[in-house]
Amino acid sequence: MDLEELLVEEKKSAEILRKKCIMLVKKEKSVKSSQKAAEDDLELVNREKQQKINELDVVVPLRLHQIMFVVNGSVPSDQSPALVLDMTELTRLQDRIKQLQEEKSQQKDLYIDARKQYVGLTHDRKDMKVKIEVLEKQCHELMMMKFGREVDLEALQTLSGNRRLEELKQEKLLREAAYAKEIKQWDAKVEEARDRLMEVTRCNTERVLCMTTLMDQNRELERKINASQRKMGNKSQDYRRGVDHVEIQRLQQLVKTESQQAEALRREIGLLSRKGGHVLPPAQARLPPITPLPNPTGRTKTSTQGPGRLLSQVKAPDSSRQGVN
């Protein structure tokens, strides 16, 4: 909370300072404008003051060696046309006089050069005039020899120029016609090429669509084949499991039956041995044959152990017992 209050106070102080800054900027602008107006007024006052001062008569004390206004070797009594100058200004004016004298000498040299050039150009003009007269005379003689009279060369040149222009225009028209014919031929070729391109594009599009359809059909067939293979594998596995389960139950029943028969034989043998009689093999019920079991390699195994072998194993101890008796 304290931090928020401090932040609010800082914002308020910043807003106050911003307002003060805006006010000070406005005051500065107004002060600058008033200062400029005051400076303009001051300059106007100074100008008027200087003008008034210049209108005043001022007495300037001078020494005799400072007076250089001399007429006929003496200082005139009326010195109203004289001008009072500072020594530095007088020195500057004297230097300027020297500069003007140098410029005058330079301009004089330039004038002499220009005069010489003018004289040379005048002689050249006279020579050219003589040459023009000679050439005009030769031209007149040639005209009389060729045409028998004087001909206006400018008109002749204009006519020849117009003839050349007409020839160029005619040539331009012929070339434009040839170019237009060639452009039509190229337009026809371009149109034919465009038609061929459209036909090829259409054929390619049909082929692409056909290929896409075939690929879709191929994928669908592969999917169906995979599904059928998975179903067949599941069915064969379920069938094998069912067959194995039935066979196991049958074998368990067979083992149980044989165990019961063996137990009955043991009881009978024990009973007969206690009575001291001979032990004969009892009448045995014929057991069902054992169905061969399928193994993973596809071969079948049959049990070679039958009831006869079991009885022989049971009789062996009885015969040994008779020998003892």
Side-chain angles (χ1 to χ4, degrees):
M1 293 297 292
D2 296 336
L3 184 61
E4 291 180 356
E5 291 177 357
L6 290 173
L7 185 61
V8 171
E9 290 179 358
E10 290 294 331
K11 286 183 178 180
K12 289 181 179 179
S13 60
E15 186 68 22
I16 293 169
L17 290 174
R18 188 176 64 81
K19 291 180 180 179
K20 287 182 179 179
C21 181
I22 293 171
M23 292 175 62
L24 290 173
V25 169
K26 290 181 180 179
K27 287 182 180 179
E28 183 182 4
K29 289 181 180 179
S30 62
V31 168
K32 283 183 178 180
S33 60
S34 61
Q35 182 182 0
K36 186 176 181 181
E39 288 177 355
D40 294 337
D41 294 338
L42 182 62
E43 186 178 359
L44 181 61
V45 169
N46 289 330
R47 191 180 297 112
E48 291 177 355
K49 180 181 177 181
Q50 187 66 34
Q51 186 177 0
K52 295 292 184 181
I53 290 172
N54 292 334
E55 291 177 358
L56 294 175
D57 294 333
V58 180
V59 177
V60 179
L62 296 174
R63 295 180 181 274
L64 187 61
H65 69 277
Q66 293 178 343
I67 300 173
M68 296 183 181
F69 185 67
V70 179
V71 178
N72 296 324
S74 63
V75 178
S77 59
D78 186 11
Q79 295 182 358
S80 58
L83 181 64
V84 179
L85 293 175
D86 191 6
M87 194 64 185
T88 56
E89 188 68 19
L90 181 62
T91 304
R92 188 182 67 79
L93 291 174
Q94 289 176 354
D95 294 336
R96 180 58 182 163
I97 289 170
K98 291 179 181 179
Q99 291 177 2
L100 290 173
Q101 288 176 355
E102 292 177 358
E103 291 178 1
K104 182 179 178 181
S105 61
Q106 291 176 1
Q107 291 294 327
K108 189 175 182 180
D109 295 336
L110 291 174
Y111 172 75
I112 292 170
D113 295 336
R115 183 67 182 175
K116 290 180 180 179
Q117 187 177 3
Y118 171 74
V119 172
L121 290 174
T122 304
H123 290 299
D124 293 338
R125 184 175 66 83
K126 290 179 180 179
D127 295 337
M128 291 299 294
K129 189 175 181 181
V130 173
K131 288 181 180 180
I132 288 170
E133 290 177 354
V134 173
L135 291 174
E136 285 180 351
K137 187 176 180 180
Q138 291 179 359
C139 180
H140 178 70
E141 292 176 356
L142 290 172
M143 284 182 184
M144 295 302 293
M145 289 175 60
K146 189 172 183 179
F147 301 106
R149 62 185 181 87
E150 290 186 359
V151 180
D152 190 359
L153 294 176
E154 293 181 358
L156 183 62
Q157 188 176 3
T158 305
L159 291 174
S160 62
N162 291 333
R163 183 179 300 172
R164 179 61 180 167
L165 182 62
E166 291 296 330
E167 291 177 357
L168 291 174
K169 286 182 179 179
Q170 189 67 23
E171 185 178 359
K172 182 176 77 69
L173 293 174
L174 293 174
R175 289 188 178 182
E176 285 180 353
Y179 292 156
K181 185 177 180 181
E182 188 175 359
I183 288 170
K184 287 182 180 179
Q185 293 177 358
W186 280 109
D187 288 339
K189 290 180 181 179
V190 169
E191 190 67 25
E192 185 179 357
R194 188 180 290 112
D195 294 338
R196 288 200 301 269
L197 178 62
M198 290 176 65
E199 184 66 23
V200 172
T201 304
R202 186 179 61 80
C203 294
N204 289 335
T205 305
E206 291 178 356
R207 290 178 181 177
V208 169
L209 291 174
C210 183
M211 186 174 67
T212 305
T213 305
L214 291 175
M215 290 177 68
D216 293 337
Q217 292 178 359
N218 188 15
R219 284 196 293 269
E220 184 66 22
L221 290 173
E222 288 179 355
R223 187 181 63 79
K224 289 181 179 180
I225 290 169
N226 293 329
S228 62
Q229 287 179 355
R230 285 195 296 271
K231 288 180 180 179
M232 290 177 65
N234 293 330
K235 286 181 179 179
S236 62
Q237 190 173 4
D238 294 339
Y239 176 74
R240 187 176 298 171
R241 287 178 181 175
V243 171
D244 293 341
H245 183 66
V246 171
E247 189 67 23
I248 288 169
Q249 288 181 354
R250 190 182 65 79
L251 290 174
Q252 288 177 354
Q253 187 67 28
L254 179 61
V255 170
K256 186 177 181 181
T257 304
E258 289 183 353
S259 299
Q260 291 176 359
Q261 290 178 1
E263 186 65 27
L265 288 174
R266 288 194 192 95
R267 286 197 299 270
E268 188 176 355
I269 290 169
L271 182 61
L272 292 174
S273 62
R274 284 194 297 272
K275 290 181 179 182
H278 296 283
V279 179
L280 296 176
Q284 296 179 0
R286 189 173 183 179
L287 297 175
I290 298 174
T291 305
L293 295 175
N295 56 3
T297 59
R299 297 178 182 179
T300 57
K301 293 183 180 180
T302 57
S303 178
T304 58
Q305 184 178 0
R309 189 174 180 181
L310 183 60
L311 291 175
S312 63
Q313 291 177 358
V314 174
K315 288 180 181 180
D318 190 16
S319 60
S320 62
R321 186 177 294 175
Q322 289 178 0
V324 173
N325 291 330

